[in-house]
C-alpha cells in the first residue's frame, strides 16, 4: 500500500486534568484505592482505641505507625511524607509517590487490647496523563490513519467525531476520511483530550505523479538496455558464423 509518511498536523491544544475523584481511601473498602503521583491522598481509619498499620511492599513487614492511648508513634525515617491526624483518625500522604503503591494491613484493638479486626487496603499510585499527541498519515487521497499517544500509566484511549457518539474504544489508531476527530486518554486518576483536523493530503497526487514518472523512466531504461544488448548479441553471433 502506498502511503505518504509526512505527518500532517492541525491540532487544538491538549486539555489534561485530574479526574473528579474522592481523595479519601477507607480501609473498609474492598476495591483498590487510586492516587496520583505528586498529589495528596487521605487514608480514613476506623475509630478504634489502638491502631497498628503495617505493609510488606518490599517483602518484609514494615510498621508505619502505632496509635495507643491517644499517642502516635510513627516511623518517620521511612515515611516522612505520611502524617497521622488523631482528631479525625486520618493519615495524610502529602505527596504520593510510586513506591507508596502496595497492600497495607491495619490491625485494630479496643481499650482492653481485644482485636476488633484486621483491614486490608490496596493502594495504587499512577502517573497522570501528560504530553498528548495526535498525528495522522495519508493513505491514498481520502483515507487518514490517525494515531494517539501520551505519557502516563494504564492509559486507555477512545475517539469521538463531531456530533456523533463515541467511536471504537481502546484503540490508539483509527482509519478515517477527511474530518475532525478527538482522542481521549484516561487512566484511573486523570484524563486528557486533543482534537485534530484531518485536512486533504494535497501532496498525494504529486507523489503519485512523481512515482509514476520514475517508474516510466526506469522501464524505459530497462527496455533500452535490453534492446542494445540484443543488437550486440546478434552482431557477435553473426561474426562467429562467418
Amino acid at each position: 500500500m502506498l502511503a505518504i509518511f509526512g505527518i500532517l498536523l492541525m491540532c487544538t491544544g491538549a486539555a489534561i486534568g485530574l479526574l473528579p475523584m474522592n481523595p479519601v481511601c477507607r480501609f473498609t473498602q474492598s476495591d483498590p484505592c487510586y492516587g496520583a503521583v505528586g498529589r495528596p491522598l487521605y487514608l480514613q481509619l476506623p475509630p478504634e482505641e489502638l491502631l497498628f498499620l503495617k505493609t510488606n511492599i518490599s517483602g518484609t513487614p514494615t510498621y508505619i505507625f502505632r496509635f495507643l492511648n491517644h499517642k502516635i508513634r510513627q516511623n518517620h525515617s521511612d515515611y516522612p511524607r505520611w502524617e497521622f491526624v488523631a482528631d479525625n483518625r486520618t493519615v495524610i500522604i502529602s505527596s504520593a509517590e510510586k513506591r507508596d503503591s502496595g497492600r497495607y494491613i491495619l490491625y485494630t484493638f479496643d481499650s482492653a487490647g481485644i482485636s476488633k479486626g484486621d483491614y486490608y487496603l490496596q493502594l495504587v499510585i499512577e502517573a497522570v496523563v501528560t504530553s498528548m499527541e495526535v498525528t495522522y498519515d495519508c493513505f491514498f487521497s481520502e483515507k487518514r490513519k490517525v494515531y494517539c499517544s501520551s505519557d502516563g500509566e494504564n492509559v486507555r484511549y477512545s475517539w469521538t467525531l463531531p456530533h456523533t457518539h463515541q467511536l471504537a474504544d481502546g484503540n490508539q489508531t483509527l482509519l478515517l476520511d477527511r474530518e475532525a476527530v478527538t482522542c481521549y486518554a484516561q487512566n484511573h486518576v486523570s484524563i486528557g483530550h486533543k482534537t485534530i483536523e484531518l485536512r486533504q493530503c494535497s501532496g498525494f497526487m504529486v507523489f503519485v505523479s512523481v512515482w509514476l514518472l520514475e517508474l516510466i523512466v526506469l522501464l524505459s531504461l530497462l527496455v533500452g538496455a535490453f534492446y542494445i544488448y540484443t543488437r550486440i548479441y546478434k552482431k557477435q553471433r553473426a561474426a562467429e558464423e562467418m
Side-chain angles (χ1 to χ4, degrees):
M1 177 181 289
L2 299 178
I4 300 177
F5 288 101
I7 296 176
L8 306 176
L9 292 175
M10 182 60 185
C11 299
T12 62
I16 298 174
L18 296 176
L19 289 176
M21 54 185 291
N22 185 359
V24 177
C25 300
R26 292 177 171 79
F27 276 86
T28 55
Q29 70 183 64
S30 57
D31 296 332
C33 183
Y34 293 91
V37 171
R39 303 290 296 181
L41 190 63
Y42 304 88
L43 310 181
Q44 186 65 58
L45 308 175
E48 306 297 347
E49 294 295 328
L50 191 152
L51 302 172
F52 189 25
L53 182 61
K54 296 174 63 176
T55 183
N56 57 354
I57 294 176
S58 60
T60 302
T62 303
Y63 101 90
I64 301 175
F65 73 83
R66 181 175 63 184
F67 178 70
L68 176 63
N69 296 328
H70 302 285
K71 294 182 180 180
I72 181 70
R73 182 179 179 182
Q74 188 168 348
N75 185 359
H76 282 285
S77 60
D78 293 334
Y79 296 90
R81 295 169 291 101
W82 292 52
E83 178 186 358
F84 178 75
V85 181
D87 293 341
N88 57 6
R89 304 296 177 88
T90 302
V91 174
I92 303 175
I93 305 176
S94 60
S95 179
E97 298 180 359
K98 286 294 298 177
R99 61 175 178 168
D100 295 324
S101 297
R103 189 169 185 255
Y104 293 85
I105 308 172
L106 180 68
Y107 302 96
T108 65
F109 305 86
D110 62 14
S111 58
I114 299 175
S115 175
K116 301 296 290 183
D118 303 336
Y119 298 89
Y120 301 88
L121 178 65
Q122 186 69 38
L123 193 59
V124 181
I125 307 300
E126 290 184 341
V128 299
V129 173
T130 57
S131 305
M132 282 199 66
E133 291 292 340
V134 184
T135 59
Y136 69 90
D137 295 334
C138 292
F139 280 74
F140 296 101
S141 60
E142 295 298 333
K143 291 294 182 182
R144 319 286 183 271
K145 191 170 185 180
V146 190
Y147 306 85
C148 188
S149 64
S150 70
D151 293 334
E153 294 177 300
N154 302 317
V155 180
R156 305 180 303 278
Y157 296 92
S158 60
W159 303 84
T160 59
L161 295 173
H163 314 297
T164 64
H165 297 293
Q166 183 170 310
L167 298 177
D169 195 9
N171 297 326
Q172 283 188 256
T173 61
L174 204 63
L175 190 62
L176 293 173
D177 297 326
R178 180 181 175 183
E179 198 166 358
V181 64
T182 300
C183 174
Y184 291 85
Q186 179 177 346
N187 59 11
H188 294 94
V189 297
S190 60
I191 185 172
H193 65 86
K194 194 168 187 178
T195 302
I196 186 171
E197 296 283 346
L198 305 183
R199 293 191 170 183
Q200 183 176 3
C201 299
S202 58
F204 181 79
M205 294 308 298
V206 175
F207 172 82
V208 173
S209 300
V210 172
W211 184 82
L212 290 175
L213 180 61
E214 291 177 348
L215 182 61
I216 293 172
V217 171
L218 180 60
L219 290 175
S220 299
L221 292 174
L222 291 175
V223 172
F226 180 76
Y227 176 75
I228 294 173
Y229 171 78
T230 55
R231 291 196 61 184
I232 295 174
Y233 178 76
K234 289 180 179 179
K235 288 182 179 181
Q236 289 178 345
R237 290 294 301 271
E240 292 174 356
E241 292 176 354
M242 291 180 63

